[in-house]
Amino acid sequence: MSQRQILQVFEQYQKARTQFVQTVADLAARPQNTETLQNAGVMSLLRPLLLDAVPTIQQTAALALGRLANYNDDLAEAVVKGDILPQLVFSLAEQNRFYKKAAAFVLRAVAKHSPELAQAVVDCGALDALVISLEEFDPGVKEAAAWAICYIARHNAQLSQAVVDAGVVPLLVLCMQEPEIALKRVAASALSDIAKHSPELAQTVVDTGAIAHLAQMILNPDAKLKRQVFSALSQIAKHSVDVAEMVVEAEIFPAALVCLKDPDEYVRKNVATLIREITKHTPELSQMIVNVGGIAAVIDYLGDSRGNVRLPGIMMLGYVATHSENLAMAVIVSKGVPQLAICLEEEQEDHIKAATAWAFGQIGRHTPEHAKAIAVANVFPKLLSLYLDSESSEDLQVKAKKALKSILQKCTYLPALEPLLYEAPSNVLKHVICQFSKVLPHDSKARRLFVTSGGLKKVQEIKAEPGSAIQEYINAINSCYPEEIVRYYSPGYSEILLERIDNYQPV
């Protein structure tokens, strides 16, 4: 065989390998093909091609493996069991930038499915190789490495700590300072996933100066970047007063409030989440948000949003109101109660309605004036119906009941209480009766209205155990009226009168 023929054979072999690996990569891009490819044993065929002498074949083989592993955890498990990861990690430090991107994609595709698979990626030494990739000149390699780190860190604190111990965080902060938007996005996302697990991990992110660099990007025109920036800031701020104060001190307010009107709903939701995480900590942090116009901005946001996007805004109003009478009154003055009432009416998901009920409870529990603001918004009947509805989740029933109880105990606005006399079960009714027993002794006009509206008659119909709290309240109400009035509205009194008529003999 001549040299030319030998070269032709090698050329044909290379073309066949190239065609095979490219075809597999193309087929793996379509989910409907993955099971067939797996059953055909394609994993074992691709593995030796990772060591091929031709770089494009290596890269395409890695790409094909990444696409397969990305599809489901069974295929990702097959990559691990096929002993492919050590080969990828070894090559990650040795090969060109195209291969490095493909290899990092495989690591990311495996790690994303579960903590166990992410741990397998860590155990094969991937983090050290990914750290080296984060220091590469090529931004595409950095981005691919940051994505892999992101998917490892998001699962739990242990994996995040492994990422931190590998020295990743300072490099991610440097990545945020690169000009490429895509690299900024994934770096911010990875910092968010690291910071979310524990105060210690969040503090590690803070200690590298990440907050200042995140703060500089809050008004970047790129919506996807803003999503990740506000997510990272909220994951940092949620852990403690100290880190929340550091986020605030980065002077992101009031500029961040502009983003509550961003066209991208995830940007809006992440901003609202950040504000919620800040306000939950202390009255001082809540007051700061109030001072920059945060309450009005969040109320407008609730009016412009629907569904789960509303949830952090609803909770933010509840957290602000929790801290003090003045802060709860700030929510009321900004017309937060009518907007929350709209949310309670419009939303279908029980967890959103439960959060809204909780927020009402935090606003109305302070003073009679706070409770009246809830009462005049006609919220009591809705809370009661949610509590009594057998279709409501247990959490919704509990929160509706607790909100009703805490508001009723402060409410002295009788027109809103009176309908509850006819609808409330005994465990709620006792709080209603209690409020009447407090107000009626001191308000003659209310006493008269209570009679003419049928309230006194209804109270006489309530069957209470002698000596019970509710009986004591009824006795207190009855003592506000002449005995003959109470007797007149008592059950059975009309029959007594009729008997007297029957027995009456005219003169």
Side-chain angles (χ1 to χ4, degrees):
M1 186 179 283
S2 69
Q3 186 177 356
R4 185 179 174 188
Q5 288 173 315
I6 292 170
L7 289 172
Q8 281 179 336
V9 169
F10 276 107
E11 201 173 304
Q12 287 170 350
Y13 178 50
Q14 182 174 324
K15 279 182 181 177
R17 298 196 320 278
T18 303
Q19 185 179 4
F20 168 75
V21 80
Q22 187 60 60
T23 303
V24 171
D26 291 341
L27 289 170
R30 294 187 285 279
Q32 63 267 30
N33 297 326
T34 50
E35 190 175 343
T36 307
L37 288 169
Q38 186 183 17
N39 293 339
V42 77
M43 293 283 190
S44 59
L45 296 172
L46 287 171
R47 188 186 172 212
L49 296 177
L50 292 171
L51 298 169
D52 199 277
V54 181
T56 54
I57 293 175
Q58 291 180 355
Q59 294 150 26
T60 313
L63 178 65
L65 282 167
R67 286 175 175 172
L68 289 166
N70 196 50
Y71 179 63
N72 65 29
D73 52 358
D74 287 340
L75 288 161
E77 188 78 43
V79 170
V80 174
K81 288 179 178 174
D83 217 22
I84 290 168
L85 293 181
Q87 181 58 54
L88 285 167
V89 170
F90 172 76
S91 301
L92 200 58
E94 304 292 327
Q95 299 292 346
N96 65 35
R97 61 196 174 98
F98 301 106
Y99 183 88
K100 287 178 179 180
K101 284 192 274 189
F105 173 58
V106 181
L107 297 174
R108 158 190 167 183
V110 172
K112 84 170 193 178
H113 293 291
S114 69
E116 292 75 24
L117 287 167
Q119 188 63 55
V121 172
V122 172
D123 291 343
C124 73
L127 285 176
D128 290 338
L130 290 170
V131 166
I132 293 168
S133 296
L134 281 178
E135 295 174 312
E136 286 276 337
F137 177 76
D138 184 82
V141 175
K142 290 181 183 177
E143 184 188 343
W147 270 119
I149 287 162
C150 196
Y151 278 99
I152 293 167
R154 67 179 43 176
H155 291 293
N156 58 42
Q158 181 182 347
L159 286 163
S160 275
Q161 190 62 55
V163 166
V164 168
D165 293 342
V168 162
V169 175
L171 296 172
L172 291 173
V173 173
L174 287 173
C175 287
M176 286 200 298
Q177 299 167 60
E178 296 284 348
E180 290 78 17
I181 291 292
L183 184 54
K184 288 177 185 285
R185 284 180 200 152
V186 67
S189 177
L191 290 171
S192 177
D193 283 326
I194 292 167
K196 71 183 181 183
H197 297 292
S198 72
E200 293 76 21
L201 287 163
Q203 191 63 54
T204 302
V205 172
V206 171
D207 290 343
T208 58
I211 291 175
H213 296 292
L214 290 165
Q216 289 171 3
M217 296 187 288
I218 62 170
L219 295 181
N220 190 289
D222 184 77
K224 289 181 180 177
L225 176 57
K226 283 189 288 189
R227 287 182 197 175
Q228 302 304 338
V229 166
F230 283 115
S231 172
L233 288 170
S234 61
Q235 295 294 1
I236 292 168
K238 74 180 184 181
H239 290 292
S240 71
V241 176
D242 289 343
V243 289
E245 286 176 346
M246 292 179 76
V247 170
V248 169
E249 286 164 7
E251 298 182 354
I252 59 171
F253 296 105
L257 299 180
V258 174
C259 297
L260 284 172
K261 292 189 176 294
D262 196 274
D264 186 282
E265 75 170 13
Y266 293 103
V267 172
R268 298 199 305 273
K269 183 180 181 183
N270 288 355
V271 177
T273 302
L274 170 60
I275 298 170
R276 179 192 72 191
E277 298 299 354
I278 290 170
T279 55
K280 76 180 184 183
H281 289 296
T282 65
E284 291 75 21
L285 284 167
S286 282
Q287 188 65 56
M288 189 283 301
I289 296 293
V290 171
N291 292 346
V292 297
I295 288 182
V298 167
I299 291 168
D300 288 344
Y301 159 82
L302 291 177
D304 296 336
S305 306
R306 295 291 180 276
N308 271 319
V309 181
R310 272 177 164 167
L311 188 58
I314 291 167
M315 294 181 70
M316 176 268 185
L317 295 180
Y319 279 128
V320 170
T322 299
H323 292 302
S324 71
E325 292 178 16
N326 289 341
L327 286 166
M329 189 52 69
V331 174
I332 292 168
V333 170
S334 300
K335 298 186 168 50
V337 171
Q339 185 56 65
L340 286 171
I342 291 169
C343 294
L344 196 64
E345 195 63 44
E346 289 181 348
E347 293 302 330
Q348 302 302 312
E349 296 287 333
D350 278 9
H351 68 282
I352 302 176
K353 290 189 278 192
T356 311
W358 169 80
F360 277 128
Q362 302 311 307
I363 295 166
R365 68 185 178 83
H366 293 285
T367 70
E369 193 176 356
H370 292 80
K372 183 178 179 181
I374 309 291
V376 297
N378 200 33
V379 171
F380 289 160
K382 183 65 177 173
L383 289 175
L384 183 64
S385 69
L386 291 172
Y387 166 51
L388 296 176
D389 189 350
S390 60
E391 297 295 312
S392 294
S393 68
E394 183 181 350
D395 183 53
L396 175 53
Q397 288 179 325
V398 168
K399 285 191 167 60
K401 178 188 172 184
K402 286 181 74 173
L404 260 178
K405 178 181 175 182
S406 60
I407 302 167
L408 289 174
Q409 287 175 338
K410 293 293 181 182
C411 186
T412 57
Y413 183 65
L414 301 188
L417 292 176
E418 198 158 323
L420 299 178
L421 290 171
Y422 302 88
E423 300 167 12
S426 59
N427 59 339
V428 174
L429 187 62
K430 69 179 180 184
H431 301 296
V432 178
I433 299 293
C434 177
Q435 295 310 102
F436 277 105
S437 72
K438 291 177 184 176
V439 176
L440 291 177
H442 311 291
D443 190 334
S444 58
K445 185 179 178 183
R447 289 198 295 272
R448 183 179 181 86
L449 281 171
F450 195 57
V451 173
T452 56
S453 67
L456 183 64
K457 181 175 184 294
K458 178 61 184 172
V459 166
Q460 306 314 310
E461 294 169 359
I462 294 170
K463 293 179 172 59
E465 291 287 327
S468 63
I470 196 167
Q471 185 61 60
E472 295 297 321
Y473 302 145
I474 292 170
N475 293 341
I477 291 170
N478 290 344
S479 68
C480 298
Y481 296 95
E483 189 179 338
E484 59 269 27
I485 294 290
V486 175
R487 198 162 57 244
Y488 178 78
Y489 286 107
S490 297
Y493 188 67
S494 56
E495 284 82 2
I496 294 170
L497 289 178
L498 287 171
E499 276 183 33
R500 288 178 64 181
I501 291 169
D502 290 341
N503 296 331
Y504 183 71
Q505 297 296 325
V507 176

